Each structure stands twice: as C-alpha cells, then as structure tokens.
Amino acid sequence: MANIQPRRDKSGKLISYSIRVHRGRGADGHQLKPWTATFPVEPTWTEKSARKKAEAFAATFEKECREGTRSDTRQTIEQYTTYCIDLKEQRGAKVSTVTLYRSLSSRLIFPFIGHIRLKDLKPQHLNDLYTELSKEGKHKNGGRLSGKTILEVHRLLHTVLEQAMMEGLIPYNPAARVEPPKREKSDPVYYQPEEVSAILSALEEEGEQWRMLVLLLLVSGCRRGEALGLKWEDVSFEYNRIHICRNVLYTKEKGVYVDTPKTENSTRYVTIPADIMAELRKHKAWQSAERMRLGTYYENEGYVFTQENGSPLHPCSVTSWMNFTGELNFC
C-alpha cells in the first residue's frame, strides 16, 4: 500500500501530500528508490476531504506504478541513458560497444540535452542537438564531427528511448520521429600495386615479427585486432588458410583484452597464398627459437604475434609502429 504523508507550511496549514510506493529490492539486493508523487491540496478543501482525495490519487498512482504505465517524471536524459548503458553492460554487450556509448553520451549528449527530463524530450530537441553537433569545433581536436559520429549519437539515443517506451516511461520514441543525420559516402581506399611493392621493399629492413604481421595484413584483409588474436591452432598449413575467431582490443579502463570478432559474420576462414604460408612457417620456426632463448620468461599462450613474454601484442603498439614507419593503416 502507498505511504501518504501530509505536508504543512510554517503556519501548520495543509498544502500537499507526499506519496511513496515501495519498489522492493534489485537483483543486487539493494533497496530500490520508491516511486514518488506529490498531491497538491486546494485551499478550499477541508482536511478530511483532502485526505480522501489523496488516498484515491495514491491508489491510482500505485496501480499505474505496478503496471508500468506511470513514469518517473523527475528522471533526466542523463540518468536514464546511464541506466540503459549499465543495463547493456550487465547483459553482456561488448566492452568496445559500452566504451563507445559512454564516450558518446558524456561528450556529445549530456552537455546538450542531459538535463532535460525524459518525459519532456521532443523530436525538436534532437534536431537541435544534431544541428549543434554538426557545427565547426565540436570535435575533441577542434574540427567538425563526421556524419558517422553524429549518426552513432542518433542510434544510441534511439536505443535508449526505445527502451524507455518499452518500459512505459514515454508514450513514443522521439528519435523515431527525426530524420537520422546523413553519413558521408566515401570511396574505399586500396593500396595500388606500386604502393604494395614499396611496402614489400621497405619490409626487408624490418624485424621478423613486424615483417610477417604486415605481410599477413596485406593478403588477408584482417583488422588489426583480428591478426593479433590469431593463434597457431587457427593456422592450417595443410589447407593454406587461417581461422579468424578472436579479436585483441584495448580500452583505457580494461587494458588489453581478448574478445570475439566485431560481428557474427566476422568469424571466418581466409585463404592465404602459398608463398605467404611458407613465410608463416619460417615465422613459426623463428618464434620457437625465440621462445627457447627466453626460457621461463616466455609464457607460451599460442599467439602468432607476441610481446617478449608471450602475451599478444598491444594493439596501440602496432598502430604506433605503422604510423612511425610510413602511415600504414590496417585498423
């Protein structure tokens, strides 16, 4: 049953009732915040009449809360978006996805519309937000945000507001009534034969591991993290192919970690030219010799490309090396 408490002014006159509905405990065992509402008392009502009206209001309010049709009118966009991202994380969303959502919300959503109450958000607010984000200087480096980034903001807001609608907190999804920002079309960039030849020539001066990593990236079309996640058990010398089934990633909060590939379809077999597979055999022999040289310092985890101690290469070290050696990009 709802808890009803009278509120009086300094003179003792009844001015309103505070209504609280108990919500129980969450999955973590902690007490959930109760649903609350305020029932104002008209000056012309007697206290007996006001109490009866407040009790009727409280009964309806509690019923709506239990059925999920009453929203928390005080909840802001920032509060609800944070709740939704936390929910995604609890449900097993990829670390990279949660990291992206937190970055987009803190940098590009909360400063502009985070203070608006969830129930008050309108399509116009989103149109104004996208217009503001498209202006010069909104990028963290001082330039203009790409259409892709603004579209990611829209998709995040659409997901959050869809959740709010399903929970009965809002009657419709405002993001569904807004035309999504356009994403600029760009032609794919391929290395030309003369560029590949120049890269291969330059690799002759590099160490074994970097040389082999670049060769594999050139012929396989793998992402950086997919190549770093490759283990020898994923390499088939018999069929001249590799199995892409792992992704080595990095975030500031989690450090280097291993995950599944970006999408379900990203797990795949890739056929590799016979001459590159021969180079991969040589790389395996070189790695075995290095492992023998390093002894117990090297903990063999089975990765094709490793740090000195046997753990997978740090993704950022690969990017730094490629930028230093000639602006290569396989990320």
Side-chain angles (χ1 to χ4, degrees):
M1 179 178 290
N3 179 271
I4 307 174
Q5 293 293 329
R7 286 179 175 173
R8 300 178 183 275
D9 61 16
K10 291 182 180 180
S11 67
K13 184 179 180 181
L14 182 66
I15 56 173
S16 66
Y17 282 93
S18 173
I19 315 294
R20 295 166 65 89
V21 176
H22 182 64
R23 291 182 66 184
R25 298 182 181 274
D28 58 1
H30 291 109
Q31 191 80 32
L32 296 173
K33 281 188 176 181
W35 289 294
T36 61
T38 299
F39 181 75
V41 174
E42 293 292 334
T44 57
W45 295 348
T46 64
E47 289 205 13
K48 184 177 180 181
S49 172
R51 179 74 189 189
K52 289 186 66 175
K53 292 177 187 292
E55 288 174 349
F57 172 84
T60 302
F61 175 70
E62 181 174 16
K63 181 174 181 291
E64 290 175 346
C65 289
R66 302 298 182 200
E67 293 176 349
T69 58
R70 165 68 68 160
S71 65
D72 181 352
T73 57
R74 300 167 301 171
Q75 197 161 202
T76 64
I77 295 299
E78 180 170 350
Q79 291 170 329
Y80 192 74
T81 299
T82 301
Y83 156 77
C84 286
I85 295 174
D86 289 345
L87 197 62
K88 286 279 186 186
E89 186 172 31
Q90 294 163 16
R91 298 292 188 272
K94 285 184 176 294
V95 173
S96 55
T97 299
V98 173
T99 301
L100 173 64
Y101 283 173
R102 294 200 194 284
S103 175
L104 290 174
S105 57
S106 62
R107 290 191 303 114
L108 305 176
I109 296 176
F110 297 164
F112 301 100
I113 63 171
H115 63 285
I116 298 175
R117 292 186 178 184
L118 182 63
K119 72 179 185 66
D120 295 332
L121 188 72
K122 300 293 187 291
Q124 182 63 47
H125 290 123
L126 301 184
N127 282 325
D128 291 344
L129 171 65
Y130 303 150
T131 298
E132 184 66 26
L133 293 182
S134 66
K135 293 179 180 177
E136 195 71 35
K138 297 304 178 185
H139 193 280
K140 59 184 177 182
N141 295 329
R144 188 188 294 270
L145 290 171
S146 68
K148 177 178 179 291
T149 298
I150 301 175
L151 186 58
E152 285 173 340
V153 169
H154 170 76
R155 287 170 175 164
L156 171 56
L157 284 168
H158 191 287
T159 299
V160 167
L161 296 170
E162 193 69 19
Q163 179 72 24
M165 189 177 71
M166 288 193 298
E167 290 185 3
L169 301 178
I170 53 177
Y172 68 93
N173 183 343
R177 301 188 180 186
V178 172
E179 184 175 352
K182 296 286 189 250
R183 177 178 176 176
E184 304 94 341
K185 291 184 179 180
S186 57
D187 295 327
V189 178
Y190 303 102
Y191 285 116
Q192 298 304 308
E194 59 273 16
E195 293 175 312
V196 174
S197 295
I199 291 171
L200 293 176
S201 297
L203 286 176
E204 294 176 5
E205 305 297 322
E206 299 298 331
E208 166 59 30
Q209 181 152 255
W210 293 119
R211 186 186 70 85
M212 189 66 244
L213 176 60
V214 174
L215 283 176
L216 189 66
L217 289 169
L218 281 171
V219 300
S220 68
C222 292
R223 295 182 176 90
R224 172 190 62 182
E226 292 174 340
L228 299 186
L230 197 65
K231 289 190 174 185
W232 288 114
E233 65 192 51
D234 308 319
V235 178
S236 172
F237 290 107
E238 180 181 359
Y239 296 106
N240 287 347
R241 71 183 187 186
I242 58 176
H243 185 205
I244 304 300
C245 57
R246 233 172 271 102
N247 204 8
V248 174
L249 301 165
Y250 169 81
T251 64
K252 188 182 296 184
E253 296 76 19
K254 189 163 184 173
V256 177
Y257 66 98
V258 181
D259 202 347
T260 54
K262 188 172 183 179
T263 66
E264 190 175 325
N265 292 333
S266 295
T267 299
R268 62 202 185 276
Y269 288 94
V270 179
T271 300
I272 305 298
D275 58 333
I276 302 300
M277 290 300 291
E279 293 296 323
L280 203 52
R281 279 185 183 276
K282 293 179 185 177
H283 176 72
K284 187 175 185 181
W286 170 85
Q287 190 186 79
S288 296
E290 284 293 293
R291 191 164 69 242
M292 291 289 290
R293 181 179 68 83
L294 293 167
T296 56
Y297 174 71
Y298 189 100
E299 296 183 13
N300 186 17
E301 298 181 40
Y303 287 98
V304 174
F305 304 105
T306 70
Q307 300 181 47
E308 278 199 350
N309 63 0
S311 58
L313 280 175
H314 194 301
C316 293
S317 68
V318 176
T319 302
S320 299
W321 179 84
M322 289 182 174
N323 288 338
F324 178 75
T325 54
E327 303 298 328
L328 295 178
N329 185 4
F330 295 98
C331 302

